[in-house]
Amino acid sequence: MKRVYKMKGQKRKKKEEKYDKEEQIEQLDDNDKVTPQPPKKSKTEDVESDKEEKLEPVVHDLAGIPIVTVDTGNKGGVIFILERASLEIAKVGKTYQLLSSDEHANYLVRNKRNPADYRPDIAFQAIQTILDSRVNKSGRLKALYVRTEQGLLLEIKPHARMPRTYKRFSGLIVQLLQKLHITASGNGEKLLRVIKNPVTQYLPVNSCKIGFSHSSEKLVDAYNYVGTVNNELDLVFVVGAMAHGKINDEYVEDYISSKQFICSLFSILKINLVLICQCSFLSMCSF
């Protein structure tokens, strides 16, 4: 009996992009919906229900703390995009871990990688700064996206409570990249998830896309620059979350820099984020 060999020249299938595919629920039209009829009650059930209604006391609503509503009106919001974040997991020993230059320097050198490029603490500090800003607390932050060096696109809800320590943050990212989503404990809402590229399909049409780069020749004052933008437009800030290099995205309309002296990239990132959050909040409140 002859063996059956595969034909030569067959190409391997390309790996599809992994992302969290939401469940598609088919909505029926109003004409197609069938209203179920309630079951008929017997006379004994009607008498018992009448007695229960009479025995139930009337409870008045207690005056609690009023919910502070944010009057957005026609004012635009703020969207942050962190580009080139070093969030890569690998199996070190028996468990999967978030690679960093401090903890996995020997592993990275053995695999011929530059340990200086693996700085997930930059993305951790940037996410904390954005979520703790006055823009988010006032309800102006619409979305937060993080794109990794491997091309994965992460979405973080503005009302998500991220871990305060780096160790718990790294464990959360490992779980996110494996399960592709993190749900809330109460209602099951997806607070963090891996979504499909590109990020431009999630941005509003009436938005001003601004990129921050230390190598940009356009040195501006953050407060004055944000104040010149139309109040009805959504501000999209693109910030690099990497240790070395610069962002170069085609969808960015303008690249600016708010620092005129040389310092570390990490300090530039943190100072820029604080300036952006404060200036955008003040400019929105001034209108």
Side-chain angles (χ1 to χ4, degrees):
M1 184 175 181
K2 295 183 180 180
R3 292 184 179 180
V4 180
Y5 295 95
K6 288 186 177 181
M7 297 293 293
K8 292 184 179 181
Q10 291 182 353
K11 296 183 179 179
R12 294 182 179 179
K13 295 182 179 179
K14 296 182 179 180
K15 294 183 179 180
E16 297 181 355
E17 181 184 359
K18 293 183 179 180
Y19 58 91
D20 181 32
K21 298 178 181 179
E22 295 182 346
E23 297 180 358
Q24 297 179 355
I25 302 174
E26 297 181 357
Q27 297 180 353
L28 298 175
D29 298 332
D30 296 336
N31 298 330
D32 299 336
K33 291 182 180 179
V34 180
T35 55
Q37 296 180 356
K40 296 182 179 179
K41 294 183 179 180
S42 60
K43 293 182 179 180
T44 56
E45 291 179 355
D46 293 338
V47 174
E48 290 177 357
S49 61
D50 293 339
K51 290 181 180 179
E52 289 178 357
E53 290 178 358
K54 291 179 180 178
L55 293 174
E56 287 180 357
V58 179
V59 181
H60 299 283
D61 294 335
L62 297 176
I65 301 174
I67 300 174
V68 179
T69 57
V70 180
D71 185 16
T72 55
N74 295 327
K75 295 181 180 180
V78 179
I79 299 173
F80 279 96
I81 303 174
L82 300 180
E83 287 284 351
R84 298 185 59 185
S86 177
L87 300 175
E88 182 181 355
I89 62 174
K91 192 173 184 180
V92 182
K94 296 182 180 180
T95 59
Y96 282 91
Q97 300 178 17
L98 182 64
L99 297 178
S100 65
S101 58
D102 295 334
E103 300 178 359
H104 310 96
N106 296 330
Y107 174 84
L108 295 172
V109 171
R110 286 199 305 267
N111 290 273
K112 297 180 181 181
R113 300 182 185 181
N114 187 12
D117 295 336
Y118 290 83
R119 293 287 306 278
D121 57 313
I122 298 178
F124 168 66
Q125 291 289 344
I127 293 171
Q128 289 290 347
T129 305
I130 295 172
L131 296 181
D132 293 342
S133 64
R134 290 189 291 175
V135 174
N136 187 25
K137 292 179 181 179
S138 63
R140 297 294 184 185
L141 182 62
K142 287 190 173 182
L144 171 59
Y145 301 102
V146 181
R147 193 202 298 271
T148 65
E149 286 279 10
Q150 290 72 35
L152 296 177
L153 184 60
L154 313 180
E155 181 189 13
I156 302 176
K157 298 292 183 180
H159 55 272
R161 296 181 62 184
M162 298 296 289
R164 309 302 298 182
T165 61
Y166 171 75
K167 187 175 181 180
R168 293 183 61 189
F169 171 79
S170 61
L172 183 68
I173 295 299
V174 171
Q175 184 180 357
L176 172 63
L177 297 180
Q178 286 181 336
K179 295 184 177 180
L180 302 180
H181 65 269
I182 301 293
T183 58
S185 58
N187 54 4
E189 179 188 3
K190 294 181 180 180
L191 300 176
L192 292 84
R193 62 192 184 104
V194 182
I195 58 178
K196 188 177 181 180
N197 281 295
V199 70
T200 52
Q201 63 181 332
Y202 307 104
L203 302 179
V205 179
N206 57 338
S207 61
C208 181
K209 305 170 185 64
I210 305 168
F212 270 79
S213 176
H214 179 61
S215 59
S216 177
E217 298 179 356
K218 189 175 182 180
L219 302 177
V220 298
D221 182 67
Y223 180 77
N224 295 333
Y225 184 83
V226 174
T228 57
V229 181
N230 188 1
N231 190 31
E232 296 180 359
L233 295 178
D234 292 323
L235 298 177
V236 180
F237 294 108
V238 184
V239 187
M242 64 285 186
H244 304 283
K246 60 180 181 179
I247 56 175
N248 187 13
D249 295 310
E250 297 178 354
Y251 63 89
V252 178
E253 299 173 359
D254 192 12
Y255 285 97
I256 61 174
S257 177
S258 63
K259 297 297 294 180
Q260 300 185 13
F261 52 90
I262 300 174
C263 55
S264 64
L265 181 62
F266 179 75
S267 60
I268 290 173
L269 171 63
K270 195 165 185 179
I271 292 171
N272 283 340
L273 287 175
V274 173
L275 285 172
I276 291 168
C277 294
Q278 291 181 354
C279 296
S280 56
F281 175 77
L282 292 174
S283 64
M284 288 175 181
C285 293
S286 62
F287 283 94

